[in-house]
Amino acid sequence: MVSEGMAKIGRNDPCHCGSGLKYKRCCLPREEAAAAARAVTRAREAAPGLATSVEIVAENDGLDEASNRPIDLIDAGRLDEAEQAAYDLLQRYPQVHDGLERLAMVYAARGDRVRAAEYYRKAADFVLVHGDPYDLAMHTYLRKRAAALDPPIR
């Protein structure tokens, strides 16, 4: 994380960790996932009854329907509505990765491979931070989706 007083690092700048990769391909997704985790922690502290993703799935309080809606809209070619449904999903269920993954799917359907890969990476990092039982397999799947969309390195 860039400390106060330092110039803000750009997404396409070399990563501050010294890896030689662009910031957006190195530490940015992890830092964004950590920021998302902090936001969820703050939300849980503000509303102690906030359910975990495992509890939401167990309750089936509409998550399935909300998660499937963007997919149905993508299949129907209604990409603007699919994007809005994905953002709604992300807002309504911030404890699960589905909204991020659905945004990746929308961008992939639009042919925006860079943004699609970015959102698949965000979803993968989110999965690691939140500790559900399926983490490793889901993280691997999301990372593979991102890698398949990344442009070849020359």
Side-chain angles (χ1 to χ4, degrees), residues 10-107:
R11 296 173 48 76
N12 290 315
D13 292 339
C15 190
H16 57 80
C17 75
S19 67
L21 296 172
K22 289 183 179 185
Y23 178 55
K24 69 182 179 184
R25 301 238 187 263
C26 190
C27 290
L28 177 63
R30 184 175 48 255
E31 290 172 4
E32 287 178 336
R38 288 190 300 274
V40 168
T41 299
R42 284 192 303 273
R44 284 188 177 142
E45 289 169 356
L50 185 67
T52 66
S53 59
V54 173
E55 292 165 341
I56 288 172
V57 172
E59 292 175 10
N60 193 12
D61 68 351
L63 174 60
D64 287 344
E65 294 82 10
S67 186
N68 289 333
R69 180 158 170 70
I71 296 169
D72 294 340
L73 291 167
I74 290 168
D75 290 345
R78 297 164 50 190
L79 300 182
D80 290 341
E81 291 174 67
E83 182 177 17
Q84 185 57 54
Y87 277 114
D88 292 347
L89 173 63
L90 191 57
Q91 184 175 17
R92 187 170 172 202
Y93 299 97
Q95 315 87 325
V96 296
H97 75 279
D98 296 39
L100 295 168
E101 183 181 8
R102 298 309 180 257
L103 283 169
M105 295 169 74
V106 168
Y107 294 127

Side-chain angles (χ1 to χ4, degrees), residues 105-116:
M105 295 169 74
V106 168
Y107 294 127
R110 285 190 172 140
D112 188 344
R113 296 171 63 92
V114 172
R115 282 186 82 184

